[in-house]
Structures are given as structure tokens and as C-alpha cells.
Amino acid sequence: MGADSSNEKTQPSIESTPLSLLTIPTRLAGNPASPPRCSVDVHNANGEKVACGNPNVTRGLVALMNIHAVEGGAACHWGGPAAFAEVNSAIHGLMFRESDRPWHEIYNFINDAGHAENGLYALRANLAFDGMTFEDLRGFRSIDSKLTGHGESHLNPEGVLLSNGPLSSSAGQAQGLAMADRKTGNDRVTLLVISDGASMEGEAKEAFAAIPGLAEKSKVNPFVMVVSDNNTKLSGRITDDAFNMAPTFESLSVLGWNVIKVEKGNDLQTVYTAVESAVQQARENPNKPVAIWLKTVKGYGIKATADSASGGHGFPLKNGEKILDWMQEIFSGDETPDEIQKWAEELHQNWKSAQSAASAASPTTGPSVKKTKIQAGLANGAIRAAKEGLPVYSISSDVQGSTGMKAFQNAFPDQFVEVGVAEANMVSAGVGFSKGGYIPIVDTFGQFGVTKGNLPLTMAALSQAPVIAVFSHVGFQDAADGASHQATTYLAAVSAIPETEVIVCSCANEADSLMYQSIKRQAEARSAGKNGESTIFFVGRENYPIFWKKEADYEWGKAQLLREGSDVVLVASGPVVGFALEAADQLNKEGIQATVINQAFINRVDIDTIGKAVAACSGKIVTVEDHQIVCGMGSQLAHSLGQAGIAYSMKSLGIHGKFGQSAYLASQLYAKHGMDTTGIVKAAKELTC
């Protein structure tokens, strides 16, 4: 790459014109009109009382709202919001105390800790922010609520300035806000709240260096960052599972931050004093951003979660059985607020009624279909290959319990490493292992694998160092976490990477076989002096039948013919294969015979199998996938049919250029977007009738 000489003095200068900024009206709600419903007084630097939202009320409300979500079928978070309760209460007490103009003209508030967003909902309901009530919290994570799994501005612009979810994604955006304010001349302080787990990500480390570096050059407005350090991530203690983060936080001062270390991060007065002081120092010297290194306890308020290795990252209660005990422990020594106590009693009574109804119900009869997670098949395939002596090595970034690879790590404890919450680093580390003669398997959620790992996956091919990736929770399968966690562009993101095969598995037996074959194929290719190919396995989250066809032969590169018909071909992949089979049954009752094909090999279309089926059905084909219509399975299939000169008439079902949203169950989102059994039947009938 040649040197850039565009700034040489020989270049003519261009007279600049004043910038005319776009007028973008804020949609953020204004200051609450009244004090908190349940408050705790702290004192500011002048000795004046400041009414802050009671952190224990935040914890109590989080527990209550989570029960509604888990009873609906969604997962929830407890540990994060419990740890952040004091600092968020202090920040909001400070922000909403300003009265000369709206709070959002004085502060940018950015929450990077998406797992703690439900704590913000609870706090703000206590503050009556945006007119919120405790009743609104009952809809948390449902398809009808704007209180999504993580903070999302496309559904809740009144409360969320920058969408969060993927850890550390908001850090650089907060930097941009503060830089834009400095350029514009706005008198505004940026407040960023981030976790220690997010601080392991590359985006965070870039922002940690850039913010003070650019601030020193007078390019950043007053900036305060609060890092919640509790040595805990999703799967356990950071120091035990990965490495010590203390040197990272100690290095902030070397990078140029004014660091304030607070040991009692769950003491409201201590935290308020620290935040107030940090804001004052940042305002006095905008060229020196302030970082509060806050020691917190994840799961604080309930001893069992505070003591657990994961800090109670998820919500341990599945119903209202123990909710009264939780309220008593959270408000230990204080009286539980009446409205919260009544809500807890209601949930407990609902649990008792459900228990009585279950006892009175008649036992079900008939055989049930055995189901399991597809991830279990991938782990089994890897274990089989490793037992044969193949050098399989697992490299994870915190979520191996969710991707299924924890089973492999338990079986081979000397054949894995966790690099921490750092997906790009995980894939790159896998490239190094591959170059060293191993067969590395990297794993994370699909959304993070394809967004943060895309360039490392490309470099794997360029370096002749193939990896095997297990990317789970694709499409709408991660329903409750909302759009930020829902990978709906995963096929488009990776299908064009050279020397990379993209596979979407639909059942455990298929996953087992294809994982085993992938490892064997890579070993044979590389032993023969060839480059070998990377394989990316995409899987859902829910339980599925262990097979769709008894004694199926999972031949590499071949589409799986599940049912033969003469009127229309239904081609599906991954989580929606079952819908296609159900649709075929319904169509059969109406005299329409459907062929059903499971298309697992996305970017290597088996045109022989699919082309013959399409020709036999007079060219009529319906594709269905848990993905955007653009550049998805259907698009790639249509291109292959066209290239082969096969005439067809197609309807493609998927997501039409929209973001997802929180819902208790993925089925609710499939129905909303017309990708379920009903949608497939409708599309097939439109083609054939």
C-alpha cells in the first residue's frame, strides 16, 4: 500500500463551509414529573438530600417481571441487574435532578450491559419515567411489549438511545456521541455503563484506548465510563475460566483515563458520591475522561446467586413457588413495599393453583417423539472423532454451555481453552491452532460469530488454516433476547467466503453425522497436503426430534429427501424443517401432494436432487428459512436453479427486511412473519391452485 500524499502542501486547499446539521428531534422521554415511588435518600457533595430509586425495589421488580417471562417460555437475566442496581439508581438520581433543561440535553446515557436492561426497566417504572408503571413490567420480553430482552431503540426510542446486546458494541458508539457533541459544541456529558465481561471484547479495548487518546486532542466531550467488575461472566468466574482482567483495568490510567476505584459498588451512597465526583471532574477537564472501576457483586441481594460461580446470570426461578422467600431476603430488615408484596403473593398463588390443576389432570397417553437440542449432535460427532485419535481442540468464548460444546470439554478436559468474551479473538486463535496441526472447533451464538468473527473466518481461508465453527441460536430461535441477538443475516454474511462450507442442521442425528464427517474430511485433506475447507454449522436453540427420517443416510453435500409428491416442492432448512413436514400433511388432506426437502448445504446447492424434484412438480417450489429473504437459502437455491436452466415458479418465505423483536417463543415470531405451517400451506396453495 502506497503512502497517502493527499495532505501534501502541493494539494490545493478547499474553502470550508459551515456545517448544517440534520434536525433530528429526540424521541427520548423527559424528566419524571414526580419523585420515585420507593426511594432512598443519599447526600450530594453539598450535603443536600437526593432521592434515588430504591435498589432493592429494582431487584424485587426484576424478580417479579422475570417470572412472567419464564412462565411464558422465555429466558431472563438476574445477576447483571442485581449487580448494577446501585450504580443505575445513582446515575438516574443525578441525571433527573437537573431541572434547567431536559436530562437528555445534559447527558448521553448509554447502557452497554444489555443483560442488565431489565434492571433499568424496573428502576424507571419506580421513577415513573416515560409514564411507566409496575403493571407495564408484566409484559417484559413479550411480543406485545417494547420492554425487550435487551435495550432496543427501534422498539423503545423513548427509553433507549443506543441499542445494546452484543457486549461492548455501545462503547465505540458512545465515543462517537461524545465526539459529535464536542464538534457541535453541545454542553453534554456522556455516561457509559459497561461490564467486565464486555471489557474483554476487541471493540471495548479499541474504545478504551481511543477515548482518552482523542480527548487529549480536544476531540471528545466530557466522558464518564463506569466499569462493573465482579469477575463474573455467563459461564462462571472470569479468572477461573479465562484470565485475570485486573491488569486491563489497571492499564486504563496508563491509557489516559482518570481512574476512580470504588470497592463498595453495591453501596448506594458510596456509588453516588463517586458518580457525582466523576461527572464534575470530567466537566472540569474534558480532555481527561473519567473511568469508575466499580467492584460489584453479581446476583447481589440473594445469597445463593451472589455465591454462585455465574452470579445467577440467568434467572433461577421458573415460577412463583419461592418468590415470597426471595422478597423476604431482598428486603431483609425492611418492609416489602405493599404493591410488590401483593404482586409476589399473586404469583405464588398462581403457582399453587397450577400445581393443583396439574395434580387433578388425567395422565397423557401415547408415545412421545424423542427430542433434544441439535447442539448435542454436534458435540457427539466431535467426541466420536476425538475418540479415534483425531486432534480435535475446542476453543470457546463463554457460551459453550449454550452451544453444546461443554459436553466435548467435559469429555476431553485437556483439549479446550476459553479465551473469554471475545469472539473475533476466538476464531483467530482457532486459525493458529489449525496452522499448528489441530482441528479446532470454535463456538458462540450465530449473531456474534458472523458479525465479530467474519474477518477472522476469511483470514482462516486465506491462511490455509481451516476451522470448524458451531454457531447456535440463529434466526428467531433466540426469541426472548430480541433483535440484537437474533442472527437473521447469518447465511448472507458467510456464504461467499471462499473455501468455506455453510451448513444448517435441523436435527441431532444429522448434526452428529455431519460434524464427524467434517472433521474426517478436514483431516484427510490436510494430511494429503491440501488446504481443506472451513465448515460453519448453524443450529437453533430449541429441542427438535432427533431425526426426521428413520435410518437416514446423511451423505455429505446431498439434500435430504424427506417426502415425495407431485404437485409442489417444499424446501426448508434448520429450525423450520418441521413446519414444512406439517404443511405437507395438511396439503395432503386437501389433495395437494408435496415433496419435502431438507436443504442443509446452503452454499453448495445439491442441484441434482433438488432440480429433479422441482422438475417433477412442474417447477413449483416454496422455500422457507429462518433468515432474511435477501441472500438466504432461497436466494442461493434460485440462483443455482437458474444457472442450471431449470424452469421454476417460486415463493420464498422468510424475513422481509425487518428486525426481529423479543417474544416469549420463537413460534410467535414465525407466525408473525408467515414462516410457520400456516404460511407454508398458504404459499403452496397459491402456487398450485
Side-chain angles (χ1 to χ4, degrees):
M1 183 179 293
D4 180 8
S5 60
S6 60
N7 290 323
E8 297 288 342
K9 292 182 180 180
T10 55
Q11 296 291 326
S13 61
I14 300 174
E15 185 176 349
S16 61
T17 57
L19 294 175
S20 179
L21 301 182
L22 302 175
T23 301
I24 305 175
T26 184
R27 297 176 65 184
L28 289 166
N31 297 41
S34 57
R37 297 169 68 173
C38 304
S39 65
V40 174
D41 286 339
V42 296
H43 291 86
N44 65 15
N46 296 325
E48 302 164 331
K49 286 185 178 180
V50 179
C52 294
N54 187 332
N56 284 334
V57 168
T58 295
R59 295 186 181 93
L61 290 172
V62 166
L64 294 167
M65 62 198 275
N66 279 3
I67 287 179
H68 288 273
V70 297
E71 287 182 339
C76 292
H77 300 111
W78 159 257
F84 279 89
E86 279 76 19
V87 69
N88 281 331
S89 178
I91 288 173
H92 281 72
L94 184 70
M95 291 193 306
F96 294 160
R97 185 173 173 80
E98 307 279 359
S99 58
D100 61 325
R101 52 197 172 111
W103 69 275
H104 48 73
E105 292 183 8
I106 306 172
Y107 297 99
N108 292 315
F109 174 71
I110 299 96
N111 174 45
D112 183 80
H115 292 152
E117 192 75 22
N118 51 347
L120 285 171
Y121 300 147
L123 169 64
R124 289 176 170 183
N126 185 23
L127 302 178
F129 174 82
D130 190 27
M132 286 176 61
T133 67
F134 289 176
E135 190 70 20
D136 293 326
L137 300 177
R138 294 174 181 248
F140 171 57
R141 289 200 168 202
S142 76
I143 199 169
D144 299 316
S145 175
K146 69 178 182 180
L147 305 184
T148 52
H150 297 81
E152 294 178 1
S153 60
H154 75 295
L155 293 176
N156 186 13
E158 298 83 6
V160 180
L161 179 58
L162 294 175
S163 297
N164 58 51
L167 294 180
S168 84
S169 64
S170 299
Q173 295 176 337
Q175 168 192 322
L177 278 172
M179 292 174 69
D181 276 340
R182 186 65 174 254
K183 179 69 176 177
T184 307
N186 293 331
D187 178 18
R188 186 154 47 199
V189 177
T190 295
L191 292 165
L192 169 67
V193 178
I194 194 168
S195 68
D196 49 357
S199 301
M200 305 178 86
E201 292 277 14
E203 296 100 319
K205 289 182 170 62
E206 291 177 11
F208 288 176
I211 291 168
L214 292 167
E216 188 178 24
K217 300 176 73 172
S218 301
K219 293 184 180 295
V220 182
N221 244 29
F223 199 104
V224 175
M225 175 175 70
V226 182
V227 181
S228 174
D229 173 19
N230 44 57
N231 187 32
T232 315
K233 52 187 179 56
L234 185 152
S235 61
R237 300 297 180 192
I238 293 175
T239 50
D240 294 341
D241 295 348
F243 51 84
N244 188 1
M245 286 293 291
T248 295
F249 302 135
E250 290 166 354
S251 72
L252 291 175
S253 59
V254 178
L255 290 171
W257 292 86
N258 175 11
V259 178
I260 301 173
K261 189 170 184 180
V262 179
E263 294 289 347
K264 297 181 179 180
N266 292 113
D267 180 84
L268 183 59
Q269 179 62 68
T270 300
V271 174
Y272 185 91
T273 299
V275 172
E276 183 184 34
S277 176
V279 169
Q280 180 181 349
Q281 292 180 47
R283 280 177 168 154
E284 290 174 351
N285 184 7
N287 292 5
K288 186 84 170 178
V290 182
I292 300 177
W293 181 0
L294 194 69
K295 300 290 288 186
T296 60
V297 177
K298 195 169 181 180
Y300 188 84
I302 297 294
K303 186 178 186 303
T305 56
D307 291 345
S308 70
S310 67
H313 181 86
F315 187 55
L317 302 186
K318 304 304 179 188
N319 50 51
E321 178 184 6
K322 298 179 180 179
I323 190 61
L324 294 176
D325 296 334
W326 268 50
M327 292 302 110
Q328 187 174 1
E329 185 172 356
I330 288 171
F331 292 98
S332 178
D334 296 315
E335 185 177 354
T336 305
D338 184 60
E339 190 171 352
I340 291 177
Q341 181 65 24
K342 288 181 178 178
W343 187 356
E345 290 172 354
E346 173 195 331
L347 290 172
H348 184 68
Q349 184 58 49
N350 290 346
W351 170 77
K352 290 174 68 175
S353 299
Q355 291 296 107
S356 299
S359 299
S362 301
T364 58
T365 59
S368 59
V369 177
K370 185 177 179 181
K371 292 186 176 183
T372 190
K373 291 188 181 298
I374 303 170
Q375 290 91 320
L378 292 172
N380 287 340
I383 290 170
R384 279 202 293 146
K387 283 181 177 179
E388 294 180 7
L390 290 169
V392 182
Y393 202 90
S394 171
I395 306 169
S396 294
S397 57
D398 189 36
V399 294
Q400 56 266 41
S402 298
T403 63
M405 290 310 296
K406 185 67 175 175
F408 176 88
Q409 296 173 2
N410 289 339
F412 297 95
D414 295 327
Q415 292 177 220
F416 83 94
V417 66
E418 187 190 311
V419 299
V421 187
E423 295 82 6
N425 182 256
M426 172 191 66
V427 178
S428 293
V431 172
F433 269 89
S434 178
K435 206 70 175 176
Y438 292 86
I439 300 176
I441 300 178
V442 299
D443 68 281
T444 185
F445 290 177
Q447 179 72 322
F448 310 147
V450 302
T451 54
K452 301 190 179 191
N454 195 286
L455 179 57
L457 287 166
T458 300
M459 297 309 296
L462 272 173
S463 298
Q464 300 85 49
V467 300
I468 296 173
V470 173
F471 292 161
S472 68
H473 293 52
V474 295
F476 287 148
Q477 287 281 289
D478 198 0
D481 279 329
S484 65
H485 279 48
Q486 291 164 357
T488 64
T489 61
Y490 56 102
L491 301 177
V494 297
S495 288
I497 299 176
E499 299 179 20
T500 302
E501 193 134 23
V502 178
I503 298 174
V504 181
C505 295
S506 61
C507 66
N509 281 5
E510 177 185 46
D512 184 331
S513 176
L514 296 181
M515 171 61 84
Y516 177 78
Q517 291 182 64
S518 176
I519 294 170
K520 295 279 285 187
R521 286 168 58 85
Q522 190 176 119
E524 291 166 1
R526 302 195 69 202
S527 296
K530 300 177 182 178
N531 290 345
E533 289 191 322
S534 290
T535 308
I536 304 177
F537 288 101
F538 289 110
V539 296
R541 178 181 190 172
E542 299 173 350
N543 291 325
Y544 289 91
I546 61 173
F547 58 80
W548 299 109
K549 186 176 182 181
K550 263 190 174 182
E551 299 177 357
D553 180 17
Y554 301 103
E555 184 179 350
W556 190 266
K558 299 295 290 183
Q560 187 184 32
L561 190 63
L562 298 176
R563 189 169 303 181
E564 292 190 68
S566 56
D567 297 317
V568 64
V569 180
L570 311 179
V571 181
S573 62
V576 293
V577 167
F579 292 148
L581 288 167
E582 290 175 359
D585 288 338
Q586 289 193 25
L587 290 166
N588 183 54
K589 293 175 183 177
E590 299 184 42
I592 300 172
Q593 305 301 312
T595 291
V596 179
I597 294 176
N598 168 27
Q599 165 63 343
F601 292 85
I602 303 300
N603 64 343
R604 307 288 170 80
V605 177
D606 176 11
I607 198 66
D608 182 52
T609 300
I610 299 176
K612 287 178 181 177
V614 170
C617 292
S618 303
K620 297 180 177 62
I621 179 172
V622 176
T623 65
V624 56
E625 58 194 303
D626 195 357
H627 188 275
Q628 297 287 343
I629 289 297
V630 175
C631 299
M633 180 271 289
S635 295
Q636 295 181 52
L637 175 54
H639 180 262
S640 295
L641 289 170
Q643 288 285 92
I646 299 172
Y648 64 91
S649 177
M650 177 183 289
K651 284 188 175 291
S652 287
L653 306 182
I655 307 165
H656 290 267
K658 301 289 185 181
F659 284 111
Q661 65 185 92
S662 285
Y664 288 160
L665 301 170
S667 59
Q668 296 171 315
L669 293 169
Y670 292 140
K672 179 175 181 176
H673 290 264
M675 299 155 51
D676 60 353
T677 302
T678 300
I680 298 171
V681 168
K682 180 174 181 288
K685 290 172 71 173
E686 288 174 352
L687 278 177
T688 57
C689 297

